[in-house]
Amino acid sequence: MCQINEEDDEAFQALKAAAANKTAISRKCMSCDQDACVVVRIADPMCRKCFEEFFIHKFRSTLSKSNVFGRGERVLIAYSGGPSSTALLHLIADGLSVNARRRLQFQAHVAYIDESSLYPESTDIRDKVTDLITNRLQHPLHIVSIDDNLDKDHDFQQILTERTKSLTAREELVRRRKLKLLFDIAIRENCTKLITGDNCTKLAAQILSDMAQGKGAHVALECNLTDTRNDSVTIVRPFREIMSKEIAMYNRLNSIESLQNADISTMTGPQSSIFQLTETLVNDLQRQFPSTVSTIFRTSDKLEKNLQPHRCDLCCCPLDLSEDQSLVSDEERIKLIQQLFSPTSQNMDSVHVCYACRRLLRDVQPISHSRQK
């Protein structure tokens, strides 16, 4: 175990006293020797100007080094209202402006999946989303409800609250359903790329959560810069090397406010689902050992992507089971999959799912069983 000597304890007490008195510790920027206002890592204090240059450079270099966007290409940005996607919108808006030093060359569209129908007590933020994206940022906006195109026998709120056993299964159903709707919007609007705001901290927690749920074969695909699970639309994650702490600092320095709204995990404890548990674990370890997130993330980069020609009908990832093992035989679950994830498919007899999605379906009760209860 590490020991704290008297000198370290005195320094800690000084830091506590300074925080209590709300006085700034005089530290110099590591780049320009000006007074620092943020500390990115333990030994990396920065002034505002240098931090913003550092943050924007990480964002732009992630996009440019892979050269994923073509000139004039139509791109769909997934907006959730959270800190990451809000910062992403502002960075792209700045990059598309006439005064940008290296102007982005693609055409940006924004998609927002409205989940307010799932939570009766939540506030409808459609007007705020419209004002931010259409009026202020002037991007084309596409708003779709999460229960869009569902019949009365497959009401999504009822599926989550009455037929799904655990919060883990509810979170995964919502996650897969939102991704399916985003793919549908992108294909309808002729967008070949889907940009998400997944940051390094969230991806590290998602990696552990996916492995715990039997999705280890897809970890490399889930955290890669470009995700090619869909043949028509490629997912791009430009924040994959930026931590949530850095995004929070950037938003605060630039007075960028996110539109917070209720989600499936609101008012739940840190051990209520597998993802909540792994997220709490990663954040706690990161506070004690600052290299935790980068270690998890870099380790996942070394995994090989096993791309097979056949895809899962729920998550669109390559199948990790044989054709016989991945085949779904229960008629009611086939109807559920077709309604939630493939409403345009005409083949109702052949539905294949990966190992993790097969486990997920075990937590969703059939309609007849839920009605008997």
Side-chain angles (χ1 to χ4, degrees), residues 22 61-62 117 156 160 181 222 239 271 282 349:
K22 297 182 179 180
S61 63
T62 303
S117 61
F156 199 49
L160 294 177
L181 291 174
E222 295 274 3
F239 278 174
Q271 300 182 10
V282 169
D349 300 324

Side-chain angles (χ1 to χ4, degrees), residues 286-334:
Q286 179 66 22
R287 282 192 288 269
Q288 301 176 52
F289 309 100
S291 61
T292 297
V293 169
S294 59
T295 300
I296 297 173
F297 195 69
R298 299 305 174 193
T299 303
S300 68
D301 275 346
K302 299 177 182 178
L303 301 176
E304 295 183 0
K305 295 182 284 294
N306 185 20
L307 297 179
Q308 302 294 334
H310 301 291
R311 306 292 173 88
C312 173
D313 288 320
L314 260 74
C315 64
C316 298
C317 288
L319 291 176
D320 52 357
L321 299 172
S322 66
E323 187 173 351
D324 293 337
Q325 291 176 323
S326 63
L327 183 65
V328 179
S329 57
D330 185 272
E331 292 185 2
E332 292 192 1
R333 285 189 169 85
I334 290 175

Side-chain angles (χ1 to χ4, degrees), residues 133-187:
I133 297 172
T134 304
N135 300 334
R136 292 163 58 184
L137 300 179
Q138 298 182 347
H139 292 315
L141 173 64
H142 311 279
I143 300 180
V144 174
S145 176
I146 197 167
D147 53 7
D148 189 49
N149 294 327
L150 300 182
D151 57 32
K152 62 180 180 180
D153 289 333
H154 294 93
D155 178 78
F156 199 49
Q157 183 185 18
Q158 182 187 27
I159 293 173
L160 294 177
T161 56
E162 299 179 12
R163 295 172 53 190
T164 308
K165 298 178 182 178
S166 65
L167 180 61
T168 297
R170 296 187 194 108
E171 288 178 345
E172 292 301 317
L173 277 177
V174 170
R175 180 184 165 199
R176 285 161 171 74
R177 173 67 178 166
K178 290 173 68 176
L179 184 59
K180 171 64 172 59
L181 291 174
L182 289 171
F183 280 147
D184 289 345
I185 297 171
I187 293 171

Side-chain angles (χ1 to χ4, degrees), residues 229-273:
R229 71 180 68 184
N230 189 292
D231 295 331
S232 303
V233 182
T234 300
I235 302 175
V236 183
R237 304 181 180 96
F239 278 174
R240 70 185 295 271
E241 297 184 5
I242 300 178
M243 300 182 64
S244 58
K245 176 184 177 181
E246 296 170 345
I247 295 173
M249 290 177 182
Y250 178 81
N251 287 346
R252 182 169 184 178
L253 291 175
N254 291 275
S255 301
I256 299 174
E257 296 183 2
S258 57
L259 303 179
Q260 299 292 349
N261 199 12
D263 59 22
I264 196 69
S265 304
T266 301
M267 303 297 290
T268 60
Q271 300 182 10
S272 54
S273 71

Side-chain angles (χ1 to χ4, degrees), residues 24 36 38 56 84 86 99 102 113-114 145 196 233 271 305 360:
V38 298
I56 295 173
S84 292
T86 305
N99 299 325
R102 291 183 180 178
I113 308 300
D114 184 8
S145 176
T196 65
V233 182
Q271 300 182 10
K305 295 182 284 294
L360 171 62

